[in-house]
Amino acid sequence: MEKRYVPGLGHVSAIGAGCWTIGGLATNDGVPVGWTGVDEDEAYSALVRAHDLGITLYDTADAYGLGQSERLVGRLLTTANRDRLTVSSKVGHIRGNAAHPYERGQILRQFDATLDNLGTDYLDLYSLHSSDFGPDHRYLGEAAKTLRELRDQGLIKAIGMRAPHDFCLAWAEDVSHPRRAEASAFMLRFAVVQPTC
């Protein structure tokens, strides 16, 4: 498998395993966030096959099956060399009892749950999953600061974000644009930006 260099992560497989669909059916605040018809054993077998083919990058999120996807990746980590895999997860869709998913305490609770689900003591990449930072971008700075602190403590290697769409530069320049927060977050220059579809 061809490898590519990613700042903060080192060399990773050019193809990664996206793990949203293996989380199965779930809802978050009444919104469907998963897929029906997922067989856990088949999903795990697919992860093992990906590993056998040389894939070293596994991308999941706390919202994928409300932790089920992370648990399946964690199952893989029990049989593979953790130091040779790049594990990415995301935060920002699950609010729990907090006022907003990007409140510091909620990020830290979700981070602890992610580590527990994965059975690891660090993440290679932790990304902001949503571009909703609350009214007047209230939680943008708090979210970025919290992830930087986790990185500085050695609990994550790199910080990322699910990318806004390609028109974000125009949004960032227009102070009255309703999606300026999404663009502003992109402008923070995270180590990794995950494209959207």
Side-chain angles (χ1 to χ4, degrees), residues 149-164:
E149 289 174 359
L150 291 172
R151 183 194 58 204
D152 294 346
Q153 294 168 18
L155 296 171
I156 59 176
K157 292 183 180 179
I159 300 167
M161 181 171 178
R162 183 185 59 86

Side-chain angles (χ1 to χ4, degrees), residues 68-147:
Q68 177 61 13
S69 173
E70 290 176 333
R71 288 187 287 277
L72 283 167
V73 174
R75 189 171 156 194
L76 177 68
L77 297 182
T78 65
T79 62
N81 185 333
R82 171 66 180 97
D83 294 335
R84 293 187 180 175
L85 298 183
T86 301
V87 180
S88 165
S89 194
K90 297 180 270 316
V91 66
H93 275 304
I94 298 175
R95 181 175 55 86
N97 293 324
H100 194 275
Y102 285 137
E103 278 188 357
R104 176 183 172 77
Q106 181 62 10
I107 291 173
L108 295 175
R109 283 187 291 276
Q110 290 303 122
F111 180 72
D112 286 343
T114 287
L115 292 184
D116 187 54
N117 286 336
L118 290 165
T120 188
D121 58 1
Y122 72 97
L123 277 179
D124 299 285
L125 174 63
Y126 202 38
S127 297
L128 298 175
H129 199 177
S130 167
S131 58
D132 173 7
F133 296 100
D136 299 320
H137 328 315
R138 176 178 175 187
Y139 297 99
L140 174 58
E142 185 173 351
K145 179 181 178 187
T146 302
L147 267 61

Side-chain angles (χ1 to χ4, degrees), residues 4-89:
R4 294 190 180 150
Y5 179 77
V6 177
L9 298 178
H11 288 88
V12 301
S13 57
I15 298 172
C19 300
W20 179 15
T21 57
I22 67 171
L25 186 62
T27 60
N28 180 33
D29 277 343
V31 177
V33 293
W35 304 82
T36 60
V38 175
D39 180 283
E40 183 177 331
D41 291 330
E42 285 183 15
Y44 177 69
S45 294
L47 291 175
V48 171
R49 180 67 175 141
H51 181 261
D52 291 345
L53 292 171
I55 290 179
T56 63
L57 172 62
Y58 295 84
D59 178 63
T60 185
D62 58 6
Y64 299 167
L66 303 180
Q68 177 61 13
S69 173
E70 290 176 333
R71 288 187 287 277
L72 283 167
V73 174
R75 189 171 156 194
L76 177 68
L77 297 182
T78 65
T79 62
N81 185 333
R82 171 66 180 97
D83 294 335
R84 293 187 180 175
L85 298 183
T86 301
V87 180
S88 165
S89 194

